[in-house]
Amino acid sequence: MGVSLASDARLASIRGRVPTVTTLCSHSSLQIFHGARAEGLPTLGISVGEPPRFYDAFPLARPDRFLSVPKVKDLPHVADRLRREGAILIPHGSFVEYLGAETFATLDVPVFGNRAVLGWESDRRKEREWLESAGVTMPKRFETAEEVDGPVIVKYYGAKGGKGFFLAKNREALADFRPTGPYVIQEYVLGTRYYMHFFYSPLSDRGYRVGHGSIELLGMDRRDEANIDELYKLGAQEELLKAGIRPTFVVTGNVPVVLRESLLPKSFDVAARIIERSIELFGGMVGPFCVEGIMTEDLQFKVFEISTRIVAGTNLFISGSSYSDMVAPGLSMGRRIAQEIKRGEAEGRLSEILS
Ligand code: ATP
């Protein structure tokens, strides 16, 4: 039996009924609705203004119903309505970023996963404390510009899709940086990026055992990032700057990748450590998470970030991936979420996967 994350009061709105898989119409919502539908669960799409028309083009991923709000920030005002609908909110990157991690954490509607994770992920210093205390290697962090001894990347807090990041070849180049919010200075790691899509199930009693349950690897991608990709990352920077172009990491798409098979043990080890430590720190991270890191030429894996929910890179694998096909045929992350909800309900263990 795992950790109970939700009180009876929090789960009252879904007791004794089929829960409704609910999310904000953006990011990975098609996959989330598609997966829920495949598992026979009802779906509700929260739209800002009119429901987006693109759902009409994808009948198998169109939510059964829509709930329109003027702004995402208005969601707390419709919490009552969401409870009446029997909603379980599925967090994704845009949902949490637009609503704000703090508001999300206090919303009185059942949420898939442990919302305590938001406080650890949205603050880059706390995220580092979590990962480093789990024994995960991260890019070096510099407290001050004076300490910088090589190329660095300066990042703001929160999931901003790499927006506004600043690259500096060396300490001198860092002098041009003008902060516009809380930031961290990190070693710029040279290597190949991998974004590994894991799922932690505290309900599972088989597979790659971690904590009370097990982890599954369902896919892997690399992001297409405008305008930095690929070769020009540091070298062409000065030329670009002369032309008035600042390098950015705005994500414009994703490509599927697989890891050298001999590196898979390393990737599972990292994921397992992150989960084990999350259980000690705040009762565990449940459901989808993405380990985002860079493999260096000496095969060291440095994790620059984890996303503690479904990432958009999983959209590549709506009909399965090279990894998920070996877990179950045609298994997407969206469908895996729906399966976990169904299992939690059937076994009377929803309090272990919802908060
Ligand atoms: P998201 O939340 O969408 O993942 P973010 O704003 O939190 O984005 P990061 O994921 O930390 O930003 O970084 C954005 C991009 O910057 C990465 O995808 C990667 O290409 C690059 N990057 C981040 N950290 C490093 C690093 N230490 N060395 C080299 N490149 C890095």
Side-chain angles (χ1 to χ4, degrees):
M1 190 79 175
V3 183
S4 182
L5 306 172
S7 64
D8 283 352
R10 174 57 54 72
L11 301 186
S13 57
I14 49 170
R15 186 149 311 113
R17 66 192 289 188
V18 181
T20 301
V21 169
T22 305
T23 199
L24 182 70
C25 290
S26 173
H27 190 269
S28 44
S29 65
L30 285 168
Q31 182 195 162
I32 292 168
F33 297 136
H34 178 259
R37 180 186 283 257
E39 290 297 320
L41 293 178
T43 49
L44 176 71
I46 301 167
S47 69
V48 176
E50 288 294 302
R53 276 191 63 203
F54 67 81
Y55 288 102
D56 295 341
F58 303 110
L60 298 182
R62 194 175 196 279
D64 300 324
R65 288 186 313 268
F66 287 97
L67 171 65
S68 296
V69 287
K71 297 190 301 291
V72 182
K73 297 261 184 228
D74 291 328
L75 219 58
H77 308 311
V78 294
D80 231 19
R81 167 82 193 277
L82 289 167
R83 285 195 300 271
R84 280 202 306 278
E85 296 273 0
I88 292 179
L89 300 181
I90 314 296
H92 56 58
S94 309
F95 201 171
V96 176
E97 188 60 27
Y98 300 160
L99 185 59
E102 272 170 42
T103 312
F104 208 105
T106 53
L107 211 57
D108 190 12
V109 181
V111 166
F112 183 72
N114 184 357
R115 57 178 103 194
V117 75
L118 294 172
W120 287 87
E121 189 216 25
S122 55
D123 179 331
R124 289 195 189 270
R125 284 175 196 270
K126 283 186 84 173
E127 182 185 74
R128 180 172 285 268
E129 187 186 320
W130 168 14
L131 299 189
E132 287 192 332
S133 65
V136 171
T137 310
M138 294 191 75
K140 193 168 156 191
R141 188 185 71 198
F142 300 99
E143 291 300 335
T144 62
E146 288 68 48
E147 289 171 26
V148 168
D149 58 2
V152 289
I153 178 166
V154 187
K155 303 174 169 190
Y156 292 109
Y157 284 16
K160 306 258 185 282
K163 227 173 178 165
F165 286 9
F166 186 85
L167 287 185
K169 252 181 170 172
N170 48 36
R171 188 171 30 211
E172 290 68 44
L174 194 57
D176 290 337
F177 175 61
R178 304 271 172 275
T180 57
Y183 65 91
V184 291
I185 308 173
Q186 226 176 58
E187 159 198 8
Y188 186 87
V189 182
L190 290 172
T192 328
R193 292 168 295 125
Y194 293 93
Y195 302 74
M196 304 170 182
H197 317 151
F198 285 97
F199 187 95
Y200 174 61
S201 166
L203 308 182
S204 170
D205 49 11
R206 59 192 63 186
Y208 192 102
R209 309 282 296 146
V210 176
H212 319 283
S214 65
I215 51 175
E216 293 157 21
L217 176 64
L218 296 185
M220 215 177 281
D221 77 298
R222 179 165 314 138
R223 296 182 184 164
D224 281 336
E225 294 172 328
N227 53 18
I228 192 80
D229 275 344
E230 271 290 332
L231 193 60
Y232 320 104
K233 286 192 171 164
L234 278 173
Q237 217 198 152
E238 278 161 18
E239 285 311 307
L240 288 172
L241 283 176
K242 275 188 216 154
I245 302 167
R246 269 210 175 282
T248 67
F249 290 81
V250 175
V251 182
T252 57
N254 303 79
V255 286
V257 292
V258 288
L259 197 64
R260 258 170 74 171
E261 196 165 300
S262 58
L263 293 172
L264 279 179
K266 199 172 276 189
S267 93
F268 272 93
D269 177 63
V270 166
R273 285 169 182 277
I274 292 172
I275 289 296
E276 273 155 7
R277 189 70 184 126
S278 77
I279 294 170
E280 291 164 4
L281 288 173
F282 53 84
M285 170 170 58
V286 169
F289 64 104
C290 182
V291 179
E292 307 174 5
I294 299 174
M295 199 67 77
T296 62
E297 61 184 352
D298 52 2
L299 304 185
Q300 241 204 321
F301 188 56
K302 295 196 181 179
V303 176
F304 58 81
E305 155 119 310
I306 56 162
S307 290
T308 59
R309 63 188 80 87
I310 186 168
V311 290
T314 61
N315 289 339
L316 284 164
F317 307 121
I318 288 181
S319 52
S321 79
S322 312
Y323 296 109
S324 75
D325 279 349
M326 296 183 285
V327 179
L331 181 64
S332 71
M333 191 62 86
R335 187 163 187 176
R336 185 64 190 85
I337 293 171
Q339 288 176 346
E340 193 75 353
I341 292 173
K342 275 173 64 177
R343 179 168 181 177
E345 212 217 335
E347 296 182 4
R349 299 175 69 186
L350 280 175
S351 69
E352 292 172 55
I353 57 167
L354 305 182
S355 62

